């Protein structure tokens, strides 16, 4: 001890020892050693003798927890590389002005049609009061006195604009009952009473244009409504959204082909819906968002609020309405997110053919040599399984466009069925269910939050929506050259269609329009026969024009770009369901591989009776006897009887298309009719 100064050494939390400055002991070298020096003013400070690491930092410059939170957040900046000359238009606009113009655009979208003003909009979560300005950021005519002033004119509607998945998780967990984070990081949520689409409640405005252009009548998915009823429902939806403290707004794109992409705006009341569309549409870069401006199409999702059942054309409290002239869609009375996805698909089925672009309900993948294949098929045919191939790149799983530029995915994500999902059967989907994925209506264990994919307590239609980049072999951007092969999949539970057939153009059109598969016999007592199902263009619920229009475009593009059509049966052989056996998946994969490689084009073929299909006599890795279904049936008479029965069902289904006239273009051609079964 000298001059009022003492030095202490603590080692491993032990008792302090007095050390003489003159006879300094060597320091104890340990990672947990700490030394202090007592200064003249009595304060301790770190020693400078190298005993321990000095990890002290200046104190945080915050007096309150709110100030601390403000330091925690870093302002986002555009990360997209800007090419020379492209940044100039944005440099002249301040961030404040850009936000004002953005809110002006959103305000115009949310404006009432029967009152003079739209809502007063501000950005940000109303829970964060510090972010809420005292006056509206949109400075047009909102404060002009009118005779229609009501209490709604006194409030602000907060806009949560293009939030990130993390921000949407926070909103869902905090405000939406039934939202949980699963053990793998996905957001599990509930869609309310409706756990699937409501096709009987979907309507399209009937006007002079759509009367001529759209498919109406028997077999059509399009149910008409008038303009006035649409506007009544639109007003109801907009009033509901404007009455909320906050709305979620997504500005995104459809179609990966930049020449033909569509700008869409989705206004919704739930974080779950916003995250779903964030995943399913194409996500703009910050730079693209700056120049988004006015959307080409707008969805008003007021699904928590019912329509008025006394309104003309309404048959329930649910209404999903499409107005092609106004370029708007209104959703009332259903919170099922799939209505938005399929509503936009219906829009593309209308807009793209006007540009001579074929819209398709199909899967699509591409080989290493650039060979593209389209896969069409209804539920249970194996479309997802066969289009997911680790040796090929996935362009998309559900919706595509075929233009003169090639093929492009309409969406930015995948919407996969989850019932009985397992890692062994569907590893890509299983691994994609992680942070950022939306899980609809699944059942999870209360404590561990592990999902039981076999549990159908809420619904059998459990779903996962995730960005396409969650699939390891996804091709980004999701575009490819012109398809070489068009594969039509059918699960024939009657057991009479061949495992694979090469189709002529007219046969491709016929089977594309038919959209056939067969459901296996049900569990109901006495039901033993398979049930045939036909869905025009393999997606009748979403097409807008007559099926022959899409079929003619498909044939024209196949002919121009040299694509080959194939009919692949993934169903039964050797007898119908209950008698025969299902064709092994390994054999079907060998068939698909032979199509991809081109080897099936050079095979020897023979023609079947009734359907007149060309079937190969030999495929490597596939038993030759199963290629002709007649060989696999022991009872040849039963085979013939079942074959004629199925042919009759095809003919009956096709009757609705035979004499249909598309405006002034004429009836269905005799060539397509001749491509069907004859007996």
């Amino acid at each position: 001890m000298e001059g009022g100064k003492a030095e202490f050494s603590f080692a491993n939390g032990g008792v302090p020892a007095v050390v003489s400055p003159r006879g300094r002991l060597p320091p104890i070298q340990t990672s947990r050693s700490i030394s202090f020096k007592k200064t003249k003013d009595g304060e301790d400070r770190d020693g400078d003798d190298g005993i321990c690491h000095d990890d002290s930092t200046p104190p945080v410059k915050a007096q309150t927890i709110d100030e601390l939170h403000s330091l925690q957040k870093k302002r986002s900046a555009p990360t997209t590389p800007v090419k020379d000359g492209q940044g100039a238009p944005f440099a002249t606009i301040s961030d404040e002005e850009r936000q004002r113009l953005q809110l002006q655009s959103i305000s115009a979208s949310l404006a009432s049609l029967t009152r003079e003003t739209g809502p007063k909009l501000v950005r940000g979560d109303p829970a964060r009061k510090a972010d809420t300005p005292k006056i509206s950021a949109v400075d047009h005519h909102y404060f002009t006195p009118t005779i229609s002033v009501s209490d709604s004119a006194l409030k602000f509607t907060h806009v949560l604009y293009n939030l990130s998945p993390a921000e949407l998780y926070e909103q869902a967990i905090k405000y939406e009952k039934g939202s949980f984070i699963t053990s793998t990081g996905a957001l599990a949520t509930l869609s309310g009473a409706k756990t699937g689409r409501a096709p009987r409640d979907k309507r399209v405005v009937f006007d002079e244009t759509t009367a001529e252009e759209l498919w109406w009548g028997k077999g059509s998915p399009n149910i008409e409504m008038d303009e006035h009823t649409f506007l009544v429902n639109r007003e109801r939806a907009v009033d509901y959204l404007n009455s909320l403290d906050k709305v979620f707004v997504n500005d995104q794109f459809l179609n990966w082909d930049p020449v033909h992409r569509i700008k869409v705006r989705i206004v919704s009341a739930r974080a779950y819906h916003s995250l779903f569309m964030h995943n399913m549409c194409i996500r703009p870069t910050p730079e693209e968002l700056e120049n988004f401006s006015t959307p080409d199409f707008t969805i008003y999702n007021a699904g928590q609020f019912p329509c008025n059942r006394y309104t003309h054309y309404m048959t329930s409290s649910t209404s999903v309405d499409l107005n092609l002239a106004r370029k708007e869609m209104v959703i009332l009375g259903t919170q099922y997110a799939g209505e938005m996805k399929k509503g936009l698909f219906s829009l593309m089925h209308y807009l793209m053919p006007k540009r001579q672009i074929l819209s398709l309900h199909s899967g699509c993948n591409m080989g290493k040599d650039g060979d593209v294949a389209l896969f069409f098929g209804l539920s249970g045919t194996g479309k997802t399984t066969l289009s997911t191939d680790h040796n090929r790149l996935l362009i998309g799983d559900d919706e595509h466009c075929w233009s003169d530029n090639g093929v492009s995915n309409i969406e930015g994500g995948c919407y996969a069925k989850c019932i009985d999902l397992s890692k062994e059967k569907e590893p890509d989907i299983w691994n994609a269910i992680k942070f950022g994925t939306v899980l609809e209506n699944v059942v999870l264990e209360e404590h561990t939050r592990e999902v039981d994919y076999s549990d159908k307590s809420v619904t059998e239609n459990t779903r996962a929506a995730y960005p396409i980049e969650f699939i390891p072999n996804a091709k980004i951007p999701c575009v490819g050259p012109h398809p070489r092969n068009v594969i039509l999949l059918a699960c024939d539970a009657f057991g009479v269609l061949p495992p694979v057939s090469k189709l002529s153009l007219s046969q491709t059109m016929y089977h594309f329009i038919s959209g056939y598969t067969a459901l296996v016999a049900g569990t109901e007592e006495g039901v033993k026969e398979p049930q045939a199902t036909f869905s025009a263009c393999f997606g009748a619920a979403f097409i807008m024009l007559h099926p022959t229009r899409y079929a003619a475009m498909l044939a024209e593009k196949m002919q121009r770009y040299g694509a080959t059509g194939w009919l692949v049966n993934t169903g039964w052989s050797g007898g119908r369901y209950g008698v025969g056996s299902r064709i092994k998946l390994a054999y079907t994969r060998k068939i698909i591989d032979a199509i991809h490689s081109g080897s099936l084009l050079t095979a020897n073929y023979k023609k079947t009776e009734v359907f007149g299909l060309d079937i190969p006599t030999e495929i490597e890795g596939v038993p030759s006897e199963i290629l002709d279904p007649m060989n696999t049936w022991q009872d040849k008479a039963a085979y013939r009887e079942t074959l004629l029965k199925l042919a009759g069902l095809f003919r009956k289904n096709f009757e609705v298309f035979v004499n249909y006239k598309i405006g002034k273009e004429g009836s269905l051609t005799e060539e397509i009719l001749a491509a069907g079964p004859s007996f």
Side-chain angles (χ1 to χ4, degrees), residues 76 102 123-126 128 131 158-172 175-176 246-252 266 268 270-279 283-284 289:
S76 299
Q102 185 187 84
R123 279 182 72 120
D125 189 347
R128 298 171 183 170
D131 294 343
H158 295 75
V159 175
L160 302 184
Y161 183 72
N162 273 45
L163 296 190
S164 68
E167 292 171 305
L168 291 169
Y169 265 56
E170 292 170 5
Q171 291 287 326
Y175 299 110
E176 297 180 9
K246 60 187 175 187
V247 295
F248 298 90
V249 176
N250 292 45
D251 280 348
Q252 295 182 258
I266 303 99
S268 57
R270 290 192 63 179
Y272 143 52
H273 289 153
S274 187
L275 181 57
F276 177 90
M277 295 309 285
H278 170 88
N279 290 347
R283 294 155 290 282
L289 212 52

Side-chain angles (χ1 to χ4, degrees), residues 57-198:
T57 57
V60 174
K61 297 176 181 178
Q63 302 299 317
T64 67
I65 193 68
D66 286 340
E67 288 183 22
L68 189 60
H69 284 173
S70 70
L71 297 173
Q72 186 182 29
K73 292 177 293 185
K74 184 171 133 183
R75 187 171 181 182
S76 299
T79 56
T80 305
V82 180
K83 295 181 181 179
D84 293 340
Q86 288 187 351
F90 306 116
T92 58
I93 303 176
S94 67
D95 287 343
E96 211 171 277
E97 175 67 8
R98 189 176 296 117
Q99 281 195 20
R100 188 186 71 82
L101 293 173
Q102 185 187 84
L103 286 175
Q104 235 174 8
S105 173
I106 296 170
S107 176
S109 295
L110 278 166
S112 166
L113 298 178
T114 59
R115 288 175 290 282
E116 293 185 17
T117 63
K120 300 172 188 175
L121 298 180
V122 292
R123 279 182 72 120
D125 189 347
R128 298 171 183 170
K129 295 179 181 178
D131 294 343
T132 305
K134 294 180 181 179
I135 60 171
S136 171
V138 186
D139 58 352
H140 30 116
H141 55 273
Y142 291 151
F143 300 104
T144 304
T146 69
I147 58 172
S148 60
V149 167
S150 67
D151 281 353
S152 63
L154 303 177
K155 68 178 287 294
F156 289 99
T157 298
H158 295 75
V159 175
L160 302 184
Y161 183 72
N162 273 45
L163 296 190
S164 68
E167 292 171 305
L168 291 169
Y169 265 56
E170 292 170 5
Q171 291 287 326
I173 297 299
K174 189 171 182 179
Y175 299 110
E176 297 180 9
K177 192 171 183 180
S179 294
F180 302 94
I181 300 176
T182 71
S183 60
T184 62
L187 178 69
T189 187
L190 297 172
S191 67
K194 296 292 179 73
T195 57
R197 290 183 302 104

Side-chain angles (χ1 to χ4, degrees), residues 11 77 106 134 145 155 216 222 262 268 299 392 398 440 458 461-462 485 492 514 537 564 592 635 646 679:
I106 296 170
K134 294 180 181 179
K155 68 178 287 294
W216 304 101
N222 301 317
I262 302 296
S268 57
I299 292 179
R392 298 172 66 83
D398 197 46
E440 282 182 324
V458 180
N461 187 36
T462 53
N485 295 292
D492 178 29
S514 297
C537 307
T564 305
I592 298 297
D635 189 338
L646 180 60
F679 55 97

Side-chain angles (χ1 to χ4, degrees), residues 289-580:
L289 212 52
E290 287 178 348
N291 199 34
F292 194 87
S293 186
T294 306
D296 300 314
F297 191 82
T298 304
I299 292 179
Y300 299 96
N301 190 341
Q304 295 96 314
F305 202 65
C307 67
N308 187 331
R309 290 180 298 157
Y310 292 99
T311 306
H312 192 36
Y313 292 100
M314 299 300 101
T315 55
S316 76
S317 58
T318 296
S319 191
V320 179
D321 308 329
L322 195 61
N323 190 324
L324 296 172
R326 288 188 59 87
K327 301 176 182 176
E328 293 178 339
M329 180 180 179
V330 170
I331 300 174
L332 290 164
T334 173
Q335 297 177 64
Y336 180 64
E339 294 287 7
M340 295 183 288
K341 165 187 161 67
K342 292 306 185 184
L344 292 176
F345 192 28
S346 295
L347 170 74
M348 296 297 278
H349 269 312
Y350 173 74
L351 292 179
M352 292 298 103
K354 286 174 144 321
R355 304 184 185 185
Q356 300 306 308
I357 298 170
L358 178 59
S359 50
L360 301 165
H361 187 205
S362 69
C364 183
N365 65 24
M366 185 179 79
K368 296 174 183 176
D369 297 328
D371 59 298
V372 168
L374 295 172
F375 293 82
F376 296 88
L378 303 178
S379 179
T381 59
K383 181 180 71 169
T384 301
T385 301
L386 295 173
S387 62
T388 303
D389 188 332
H390 292 288
N391 296 316
R392 298 172 66 83
L393 298 174
L394 179 69
I395 293 176
D397 75 326
D398 197 46
E399 303 176 9
H400 294 88
C401 285
W402 189 353
S403 71
D404 290 338
N405 299 328
V407 69
S408 57
N409 192 349
I410 290 174
E411 302 180 296
C414 301
Y415 194 33
K417 292 179 181 177
C418 291
I419 195 66
D420 294 325
L421 179 69
S422 68
K423 188 173 184 178
E424 294 71 31
K425 291 181 181 178
E426 298 287 354
D428 285 343
I429 297 174
W430 180 274
N431 293 327
I433 299 176
K434 56 186 179 181
F435 179 82
T437 296
V438 176
L439 276 175
E440 282 182 324
N441 301 316
V442 297
V443 176
L444 42 130
E445 204 279 328
E446 185 178 17
H447 176 61
T448 64
R449 297 291 197 263
E450 291 181 356
V451 178
D452 182 355
Y453 292 106
S454 65
D455 196 319
K456 307 172 186 177
S457 298
V458 180
T459 179
E460 189 169 328
N461 187 36
T462 53
R463 296 271 186 165
Y466 48 85
I468 194 167
E469 56 264 32
F470 282 15
I471 299 296
N473 63 328
K475 184 183 182 300
I476 308 294
C478 303
V479 296
H482 298 290
R484 291 186 195 172
N485 295 292
V486 174
I487 302 170
L488 312 182
L489 300 170
C491 178
D492 178 29
F494 290 92
V496 294
L497 288 183
V500 60
S501 312
K502 185 172 70 171
L503 304 176
S504 65
L505 275 175
S506 56
Q507 285 176 323
T508 303
M509 294 173 75
Y510 182 90
H511 287 278
F512 179 70
I513 292 171
S514 297
Y516 164 73
T517 194
L519 305 177
V520 298
T523 56
E524 188 178 337
E525 187 178 352
V527 179
K528 298 179 181 179
E529 288 292 320
Q531 304 295 315
T533 300
F534 296 93
S535 182
C537 307
F538 293 92
F542 323 118
I543 62 177
M544 303 294 285
L545 312 179
H546 193 272
T548 55
R549 296 279 295 275
Y550 301 103
M553 289 185 70
L554 177 63
E556 185 272 330
K557 291 190 181 297
M558 288 178 65
Q559 191 169 34
R560 181 188 299 181
Y561 300 111
T564 305
W566 306 90
L567 180 63
V568 174
N569 174 22
T570 62
W572 272 255
S573 179
R576 60 170 173 77
Y577 171 78
V579 177

